[in-house]
Amino acid sequence: MVVVGIKGVGRRRVGALAFKGGRLRGGVGWHAGRDCAKEPIQPLYLDEISEDVEGIAGSLWPINKRIYDNPELGYEEFVAHAALASFMKAQKGWETTPSAYGMATAWVSVYDTDKRGPVVSFNVEMDALPGIGHACGHNLIASASVAAGLATAKVMKRHSIGGKVVLFGTLAEEGGGGKIKLLERGAYKDHGVDINLISHPGIGESHAFSRTTAYARFKVEYFGREAHAAAAPWLGINALDGLINAYNSLSALRQQTMPSDIIQGYITDGGVAPNIIHAYAAGVFVARASTQARLTELRKKVEACFVAGALSSGAELKITPIGAYADHLPNRALGASFVRYINSLNPPGMYPEDPDIDEIGGATMASSDQGDISYAMPTLSPNFSVPPGPKGNGPHNPDFAEASGTWVAFERCLRVGKALAGTAVDVLTEDGLLEAAKKEWKRAVHFGQ
């Protein structure tokens, strides 16, 4: 049985259930009384969501441009914070808190219907990269999430749908772990968030099920003893030898690691003069793996290399954690709704309809603190393609910074915003979808850890 949504009706049974005589794939709805196997229809709220997003494009573009034109590093997103918080304060029905949870550039905006229902949320990234500006397109991520949140709220008001929408101004994604700090300080728990949505731009194929790697960053220090390198080297303990031996051990270790394992690092301190035995040497290193469980195993091997360096040189070793991100667990229940919406737009989004194929293509060796969100609640972080810059380079390149500032890229992010809003509306209105998303999330977390 399919119950078609009617204006004023809060929740409907469509998309997640088997349909007798036809087929529902990933939440696709169907015309009643027609050949259900051949005629998929567009999602119920697609047209009004599209109109709502297009209706705010003109006012959102200057916000996008201001963020882009004023790139700021993590925890220093003062221009972006002011622009976004002021914009949200001007939205009727929204309550905005600037400088939230003890962080100057974090902010939270809430649309609450005061009626029972799910709590859907969107993360709004803001920070840029050192020296190359918005080469990761966080201005586009922000615009897509804000557009999605506003459109979701408009649909809720229009149809008297219960629940709540929360926008989180998430700071310092580029290595600063801003979302982790918000998690630790109770931001998502305080608002009773059920799901979280975000997106990410790139230049390749688009995928709904983005899976990032688990990541750990740490500082390694060796402490030795000075001596005259020519007159009495035997009196010294060479800390640089310890670090170099460890570095070479890591190079050898890579031969035995898995294809998804990554070990990176650089030397920050290598001594002060050639005629002094180096009493201090240090470096910063990163390990990545496909899951947190695999990262734990990889780190044991990596740290053994540093211990070997200390034993071989006689220097004292100190390892200090700097930061860590979990791998991102995409949620297929949420992804089915997203794909249904994005592929129903005109022109279609052309996202793979087979979730297995999509997830293979959506895997990346990059890392994000959105992964930590995915271990706290069901999430989705689809990627979307924008036209590349003149040299055709992707994120974290100056060429992509140029690409992320164009009107075309802004239009692409708004398309994704429409599908994110559709996903949120499905969670708010479809019986069983939130429960299915949470059930899958629990299973994914169990296997991911």
Side-chain angles (χ1 to χ4, degrees), residues 265-435:
Y266 69 105
I267 296 174
T268 58
D269 296 89
V272 295
N275 60 344
I276 302 174
I277 296 295
H278 310 299
Y280 179 75
V284 175
F285 293 81
V286 166
R288 302 178 196 257
S290 57
T291 66
Q292 290 194 90
R294 176 56 193 169
L295 181 60
T296 297
E297 294 302 311
L298 179 61
R299 287 192 64 177
K300 291 178 183 177
K301 298 176 184 292
V302 168
E303 290 177 8
C305 292
F306 292 115
V307 171
L311 292 173
S312 65
S313 64
E316 180 183 344
L317 169 66
K318 180 181 179 182
I319 300 178
T320 304
I322 297 176
Y325 290 168
D327 52 301
H328 182 259
L329 305 174
N331 190 280
R332 291 196 176 192
L334 300 178
S337 286
F338 177 85
V339 171
R340 180 162 61 100
Y341 269 88
I342 197 78
N343 284 350
S344 296
L345 292 171
N346 187 21
M350 302 306 294
Y351 281 66
E353 293 189 1
D354 186 319
D356 292 328
I357 293 175
D358 190 300
E359 191 164 335
I360 292 172
T364 174
M365 301 312 297
S367 304
S368 171
D369 55 2
Q370 185 68 23
D372 293 81
I373 302 295
S374 77
Y375 274 83
M377 68 196 71
T379 70
L380 194 70
S381 179
N383 56 50
F384 62 96
S385 181
V386 302
K391 298 180 181 179
N393 292 304
H396 287 226
N397 184 283
D399 197 44
F400 190 76
E402 183 173 340
S404 68
T406 64
W407 173 260
V408 175
F410 178 69
E411 288 182 319
R412 296 282 180 90
C413 86
L414 293 186
R415 283 172 55 85
V416 171
K418 295 175 182 180
L420 291 176
T423 305
V425 170
D426 277 357
V427 170
L428 291 161
T429 59
E430 291 192 6
D431 284 336
L433 178 55
L434 178 57
E435 291 75 13

Side-chain angles (χ1 to χ4, degrees), residues 52 59 79 97 141 148 172 185 191 248 257 302 309 312 318-319 334 339 352 361 420 429 436:
D52 289 335
S59 58
V79 172
T97 304
I141 296 172
R185 299 183 186 190
H191 294 282
N248 289 333
T257 57
V302 168
S312 65
K318 180 181 179 182
I319 300 178
L334 300 178
V339 171
L420 291 176
T429 59

Side-chain angles (χ1 to χ4, degrees), residues 91-377:
Q91 306 304 312
K92 187 176 181 180
W94 287 82
E95 182 177 338
T96 299
T97 304
S99 300
Y101 291 94
M103 291 177 283
T105 56
W107 57 271
V108 180
S109 288
V110 180
Y111 180 85
D112 194 346
T113 64
D114 292 323
K115 292 186 289 186
R116 176 179 290 184
V119 180
V120 297
S121 69
F122 302 86
N123 283 341
V124 182
E125 293 185 1
M126 302 174 285
D127 61 320
L129 289 161
I132 53 177
H134 278 290
C136 205
H138 289 193
N139 58 305
L140 302 175
I141 296 172
S143 296
S145 290
V146 169
L150 292 175
T152 301
K154 288 178 181 293
V155 172
M156 294 172 73
K157 181 177 181 180
R158 194 177 295 124
H159 295 277
S160 299
I161 298 169
K164 186 164 67 173
V165 186
V166 186
L167 290 177
F168 292 100
T170 56
L171 62 176
E173 187 275 340
E174 297 292 352
K179 298 184 190 70
I180 298 173
K181 290 188 181 297
L182 285 169
L183 271 174
E184 292 173 344
R185 299 183 186 190
Y188 298 87
K189 184 177 180 180
D190 287 350
H191 294 282
V193 172
D194 288 304
I195 68 156
N196 183 261
L197 303 171
I198 195 173
S199 61
H200 202 292
I203 62 169
E205 295 181 351
S206 299
H207 295 277
F209 303 109
S210 175
R211 182 179 287 276
T212 60
T213 58
Y215 154 102
R217 181 183 178 95
F218 46 94
K219 182 177 183 179
V220 175
E221 298 173 281
Y222 287 90
F223 301 89
R225 184 170 63 235
E226 295 94 339
H228 196 291
W234 54 87
L235 296 178
I237 297 176
N238 198 319
L240 181 59
D241 281 349
L243 182 54
I244 294 298
N245 289 343
Y247 194 97
N248 289 333
S249 295
L250 293 174
S251 296
L253 174 63
R254 290 191 183 97
Q255 181 179 329
Q256 318 303 141
T257 57
M258 299 178 69
S260 57
D261 295 341
I262 296 177
I263 307 166
Q264 303 159 309
Y266 69 105
I267 296 174
T268 58
D269 296 89
V272 295
N275 60 344
I276 302 174
I277 296 295
H278 310 299
Y280 179 75
V284 175
F285 293 81
V286 166
R288 302 178 196 257
S290 57
T291 66
Q292 290 194 90
R294 176 56 193 169
L295 181 60
T296 297
E297 294 302 311
L298 179 61
R299 287 192 64 177
K300 291 178 183 177
K301 298 176 184 292
V302 168
E303 290 177 8
C305 292
F306 292 115
V307 171
L311 292 173
S312 65
S313 64
E316 180 183 344
L317 169 66
K318 180 181 179 182
I319 300 178
T320 304
I322 297 176
Y325 290 168
D327 52 301
H328 182 259
L329 305 174
N331 190 280
R332 291 196 176 192
L334 300 178
S337 286
F338 177 85
V339 171
R340 180 162 61 100
Y341 269 88
I342 197 78
N343 284 350
S344 296
L345 292 171
N346 187 21
M350 302 306 294
Y351 281 66
E353 293 189 1
D354 186 319
D356 292 328
I357 293 175
D358 190 300
E359 191 164 335
I360 292 172
T364 174
M365 301 312 297
S367 304
S368 171
D369 55 2
Q370 185 68 23
D372 293 81
I373 302 295
S374 77
Y375 274 83
M377 68 196 71

